[in-house]
Amino acid sequence: MKSKGKSRLPGFHNRSLAKRLEEISRRVTKPGFGADLTLEKADAMIENAVGVFCLPLGIATNFMINGVELLVPMAVEEPSVIAAASNAARMARAGTGFLAQADPPIMAGQVEILDPSPGAKERLENSVDEIVRLADSVQPELVSLGGGMRTMAVRCDIGEPGRLVVHLHVDCRDAMGANMVNTMAEAVSHRLAEIAGGRAGLRILTNLADRRLARARCSIPFEALERKGFPGKDVALGVSAASDFASSDPYRAATHNKGIFNGIDAFLLACGNDWRAVEAGAHAFAARGGSYAPLATWQIEGSYLVGEAEMPMAVGLVGGASTAHPGAVACLDLVGVECASELAQVAVSVGLATNLAALAALASEGIQSGHMQLHGKKQALPADTEGIDSE
Ligand code: MEV
């Protein structure tokens, strides 16, 4: 990650829109920051295009991730999300900031084999080298960049005795990888079916990218959590109790995780990434234990509140809208990430931040006063005079 300058910008929210844009544009070398997509670009991106649909783009301040200061672009229609992210990032940097890491960019493609003959699993497992060669042969560019198929797993009796599923594990480097993995899965499916003595069914990646997890952690001293007449220690205890509630109740966990995706989706959308894929993977991951669970948890350690988030994070810096949408290219430039794994680290940290902001509010004055105050300001004030009390 390469810092583009300080992320602590006191009073940023009180500047005019033009001044804010000036400040941000200074840090971006790619053109197109904050500009609308042209009709021509829109027409080239999707089918039957008739226009472009804009969302507000804002900047969350105060982020410090692995010791690097960065600004977080967010495309979102909901007031208070960006203020919440900025506010939580300010609390976090009073402690460790966000400490994040991500697994190597391994995605899995699934090839379904129906009615395999006896001994199929063993025969398939003995043909890994051949399948790797075949899969890599249809993605030479990925291989030249150091990626490609790595391993294979054979799963038997999935749902019924006659269904076997082969997973192709592919290192996608800086791409999200869906297209590459799907191409590979289609290319090897005939041969897999032949070896298995069955017939090929579906061939598509799984969005449950559980070999591509991202994690973030932060440790915040109690005093940094103090707010509106609530002592920091009480807020910390309230956040930790809210986390326990989410761990015990899927109804609460769903809302808890929605607060996490307030941040992640807005960030990924601004960066031209497929947030539906990330949502699908994360929700499946949240249910992996048999009951739907929170994707981030909080606990007390001494006089610190410690938060941790972990989830699949299949994101990319190349391909799709991250390359085709000039606004997304400029947002990625602003963030300063140099590989997909760093993008994943920022995304999971932003999710931990919006989760903290929501829980801290819920555990103290409640969510509505701040939310409605900001909502009211958004409706009532001209765009260049509004203020968000996030700094
Ligand atoms: C609202 O957009 C998100 C929250 O409901 C999240 C939560 O309850 O944790 C405030």
Side-chain angles (χ1 to χ4, degrees), residues 78 81 252 255-260 262 355 358-359 362 367 371:
E78 186 178 344
V81 168
R252 175 56 209 152
T255 322
H256 179 101
N257 288 347
K258 192 274 182 181
I260 294 172
N262 273 348
N355 179 231
L359 300 191
L362 288 167
I367 207 83
H371 186 76

Side-chain angles (χ1 to χ4, degrees), residues 39 280 310:
L39 287 172
E310 181 182 51

